[in-house]
Amino acid sequence: MGNDIEIAPTRVSEDAGSLKAPTKVGRSELADITPPHDTYEGRHRFDPTAEWTVAEERRVVFKTDLFLLSWLCVMMFGLQLDRGNLGNALTDKLLDDLNLTTDDYNNGTTIQLVCFLAAEFPVQFLTKRYGFKYILPTMMFAWSTVSWAQAWMHDRTSFYITRALIGACEGGFIPGVILFATYFYKSKELAIRLAAFWSTLNVARVISALLAAGILELRGVQGKPGWFWLFLIEGLLTMTIALVSYIYLPSSPVGTKGVIFRKGWYTEREEVIMVNRILRDDPAKGLTDLQEPATFKDIKAAWSDPAMWGLYFLGLVAYIPATPVTGYLSLTLKRLGFSTFNSNMLTIPSAVLQIITMLTLAYSSDYFNERTLHIIFGEFWIMPLLVALITIPDGGREWSRFTLITLISGYPYFHPLISSWISENTFDVKKRAITAATYNVIVQIGSLIGSQIYRKYDAPYYKQGNKVCVAICALALVTMVVQRQVLVHLNKKKDEKWRAMTSEEKALYQSDLEARERDGNKRLDFRFVI
């Protein structure tokens, strides 16, 4: 071969149970001694001797981006469209029309989040039992139905009911999408793809603001308020995406044939490349088929893992400082004297800024294969801006205040990095599903807390609330440093025990496949990504 072509390393599994097996450490080094189960959906494409060029692998990744990533982003767009249109409706006198106060609005947000949390774990069990192909579109169809039905809200009770139903229908969707993507991408490819998902949420914020600016002008048509048409039109749009998703989504990398794609996304050789590149990066994916149910044992494993505790706590506190600022963005702009149209338009710069900062942060994190310093950067971005919001004098200075709010709302959102970090540091797919759901539940609890920080008595500048946000921001930064040191300590302890073993002991240890499946990331030859 020419110098410009690289060949993927050959993996041979013949000595998986032999004392001559390699004694390397690290998740991606374990493929030689961890063959997939017979029930693994890609088992017929598994070939430990398969070779391919870098150009061929890039081609299958490009196809995956084109066919899978793009549609998952469309689905995430639908999620944000129905989740974020309430903020746009606030600029069209929604609270006045329904006789609601801002405290009622906060309560509605809390109800939505509680129901969202309640649905997280049941959805993970359902996706593991029946597959992503059917559960994800069904969830989308359900919440889109509630979304367009919001058009007929008329009082506090109907507002609370629709908030509860939307939360219950959306809970578990994001971790489900993330886990689905892990079956198609290697770990080092994941963070930037997850950033693309969350960038889609910001694209939705931009498009939603543009749609809202036009649709809300329909106020008075057939005697209906503008928000009536906003909920109806955007809900029906999301329902259309859900219906297409039923016939579009694949069941797995080797299950891409369907009504739309009669021949599938990949050729037979490309399926071989897809399956083996994923298993060589993360052999644990071959130990669990896509529809193998999770159990309460997996929940216990996810909750008792000390390597995850710091990430759980970060999920609770790290996103709180920006939550009230972003949640009240359009309403704050309206209170600062901007018109309904301008208030919606002025939410666009923060969404665009976050797309840029988030993708840049994710790309850098993947490039340097580093997580902690990058999430510290994302959190620290917020702190001086919150301090500025506290110190800026009351009255006037609308554009200065707008600039600060925009910069806070557009901070480098590092949720994709932590989600990818969780995937890298777990060696069991079912445990990974529960860990991701646990993390997401805790993130939503943090959002619930964040939604209650801005109170009516503190309006319109919320200086007391912003002081609370600064304190939480400092706590998150300390937690990030502690989490890094915990992982360093765990790796060091493993390394000390590993080096104390003889070559024969290491080979015997690595040949025990039953123990590898049982112990996962607790194994001495597994190293945590830092």
Side-chain angles (χ1 to χ4, degrees):
M1 291 276 178
N3 293 333
D4 57 332
I5 298 294
E6 296 177 31
I7 302 295
T10 301
R11 304 289 189 181
V12 183
S13 63
E14 281 75 11
D15 14 21
S18 167
L19 294 185
K20 296 181 180 179
T23 56
K24 298 178 181 179
V25 298
R27 187 191 62 193
S28 62
E29 300 293 341
L30 302 177
D32 291 329
I33 51 176
T34 314
H37 286 173
D38 291 338
T39 57
Y40 172 59
E41 57 277 351
R43 186 67 173 81
H44 62 295
R45 298 298 188 212
F46 173 63
D47 182 0
T49 65
E51 298 180 350
W52 56 84
T53 65
V54 170
E56 286 181 301
E57 185 167 6
R58 285 174 179 166
R59 193 175 302 119
V60 297
V61 173
F62 174 75
K63 277 191 175 183
T64 306
D65 288 341
L66 181 64
F67 294 124
L68 179 70
L69 180 66
S70 61
W71 191 255
L72 291 180
C73 285
V74 170
M75 296 178 74
M76 293 286 275
F77 170 83
L79 174 71
Q80 180 59 30
L81 195 64
D82 288 345
R83 192 165 60 171
N85 55 16
L86 182 64
N88 294 324
L90 292 179
T91 64
D92 189 51
K93 301 180 180 179
L94 174 71
L95 298 184
D96 293 337
D97 291 343
L98 299 181
N99 295 317
L100 302 177
T101 67
T102 54
D103 287 347
D104 293 328
Y105 172 73
N106 287 342
N107 292 336
T109 301
T110 300
I111 290 171
Q112 178 182 351
L113 288 173
V114 169
C115 294
F116 189 99
L117 299 179
E120 283 280 352
F121 289 109
V123 167
Q124 295 313 304
F125 280 92
L126 287 172
T127 52
K128 286 302 298 171
R129 177 63 183 86
Y130 298 105
F132 303 92
K133 177 178 175 63
Y134 300 108
I135 297 300
L136 296 180
T138 299
M139 293 175 64
M140 195 171 202
F141 183 86
W143 88 60
S144 64
T145 301
V146 180
S147 183
W148 62 254
Q150 287 180 112
W152 283 271
M153 291 187 301
H154 58 279
D155 57 10
R156 182 189 294 112
T157 301
S158 56
F159 173 69
Y160 286 166
I161 290 173
T162 54
R163 288 294 94 197
L165 290 175
I166 282 185
C169 294
E170 290 181 345
F173 183 79
I174 290 178
V177 168
I178 293 172
L179 186 61
F180 191 37
T182 65
Y183 284 93
F184 290 80
Y185 290 106
K186 293 160 65 173
S187 58
K188 290 185 178 180
E189 299 165 346
L190 195 57
I192 189 67
R193 269 77 188 183
L194 297 185
F197 294 158
W198 272 280
S199 293
T200 304
L201 300 185
N202 284 285
V203 171
R205 283 173 57 192
V206 174
I207 296 177
S208 179
L210 292 171
L211 288 173
I215 295 174
L216 293 178
E217 293 297 317
L218 296 176
R219 187 176 185 87
V221 174
Q222 295 187 11
K224 302 293 185 182
W227 54 262
F228 172 93
W229 300 107
L230 182 70
F231 290 136
L232 181 62
I233 293 171
E234 293 188 349
L236 292 175
L237 176 59
T238 305
M239 179 175 284
T240 302
I241 297 173
L243 293 173
V244 175
S245 297
Y246 277 112
I247 59 175
Y248 186 96
L249 285 181
S251 59
S252 71
V254 294
T256 57
K257 294 181 181 179
V259 176
I260 299 177
F261 300 96
R262 297 285 184 171
K263 296 183 178 180
W265 297 351
Y266 311 110
T267 65
E268 182 176 322
R269 173 164 175 76
E270 288 173 338
E271 285 188 354
V272 171
I273 295 172
M274 278 292 294
V275 167
N276 289 281
R277 68 187 287 270
I278 294 300
L279 292 184
R280 292 174 188 181
D281 173 70
D282 186 357
K285 292 174 184 174
L287 305 180
T288 307
D289 62 85
L290 271 168
Q291 295 187 25
E292 182 175 337
T295 65
F296 286 101
K297 181 181 177 181
D298 300 310
I299 294 179
K300 180 181 178 182
W303 290 358
S304 62
D305 187 350
M308 297 294 125
W309 292 343
L311 297 181
Y312 294 156
F313 189 71
L314 279 178
L316 178 67
V317 300
Y319 311 108
I320 289 177
T323 295
V325 179
T326 303
Y328 273 74
L329 180 59
S330 59
L331 190 59
T332 300
L333 291 170
K334 189 74 182 291
R335 285 175 171 170
L336 290 176
F338 295 103
S339 67
T340 298
F341 180 85
N342 288 337
S343 294
N344 281 292
M345 288 295 98
L346 288 174
T347 65
I348 293 177
S350 63
V352 173
L353 177 62
Q354 190 162 84
I355 291 172
I356 296 170
T357 57
M358 179 166 50
L359 287 174
T360 302
L361 192 72
Y363 178 81
S364 175
S365 179
D366 276 350
Y367 182 83
F368 291 105
N369 195 30
E370 196 282 334
R371 299 288 180 255
T372 313
L373 296 179
H374 285 80
I375 65 173
I376 286 176
F377 175 81
E379 186 73 19
F380 186 75
W381 174 294
I382 303 170
M383 182 177 284
L385 298 170
L386 287 170
V387 172
L389 268 184
I390 295 170
T391 56
I392 190 171
D394 295 348
R397 298 176 174 82
E398 289 86 356
W399 288 109
S400 298
R401 217 174 300 275
F402 162 73
T403 301
L404 292 172
I405 293 172
T406 297
L407 289 173
I408 293 172
S409 300
Y411 80 105
Y413 191 48
F414 46 85
H415 189 43
L417 273 64
I418 297 184
S419 298
S420 178
W421 205 2
I422 288 173
S423 179
E424 291 172 310
N425 283 346
T426 51
F427 190 79
D428 180 287
V429 175
K430 290 187 291 181
K431 175 184 174 182
R432 185 176 301 164
I434 301 302
T435 302
T438 301
Y439 169 72
N440 203 55
V441 164
I442 295 173
V443 168
Q444 298 308 318
I445 293 174
S447 296
L448 189 155
I449 296 170
S451 69
Q452 295 292 336
I453 289 178
Y454 279 6
R455 306 303 295 177
K456 184 178 180 180
Y457 75 86
D458 202 21
Y461 301 116
Y462 304 107
K463 293 200 172 183
Q464 286 296 118
N466 288 330
K467 289 178 182 178
V468 172
C469 289
V470 169
I472 296 175
C473 193
L475 176 61
L477 289 169
V478 172
T479 304
M480 290 170 183
V481 175
V482 171
Q483 169 66 8
R484 183 182 191 280
Q485 293 311 114
V486 167
L487 295 181
V488 168
H489 175 69
L490 292 174
N491 279 345
K492 185 178 179 180
K493 285 178 61 178
K494 287 185 177 186
D495 197 46
E496 289 173 353
K497 294 179 180 179
W498 184 252
R499 284 184 295 175
M501 297 169 67
T502 65
S503 297
E504 291 75 14
E505 287 173 331
K506 291 176 181 177
L508 183 63
Y509 180 88
Q510 292 194 320
S511 67
D512 190 346
L513 298 182
E514 183 178 342
R516 180 170 306 287
E517 291 188 44
R518 182 185 66 245
D519 298 336
N521 64 356
K522 296 179 182 178
R523 301 284 290 178
L524 297 179
D525 53 359
F526 184 92
R527 295 294 181 270
F528 296 107
V529 175
I530 300 172

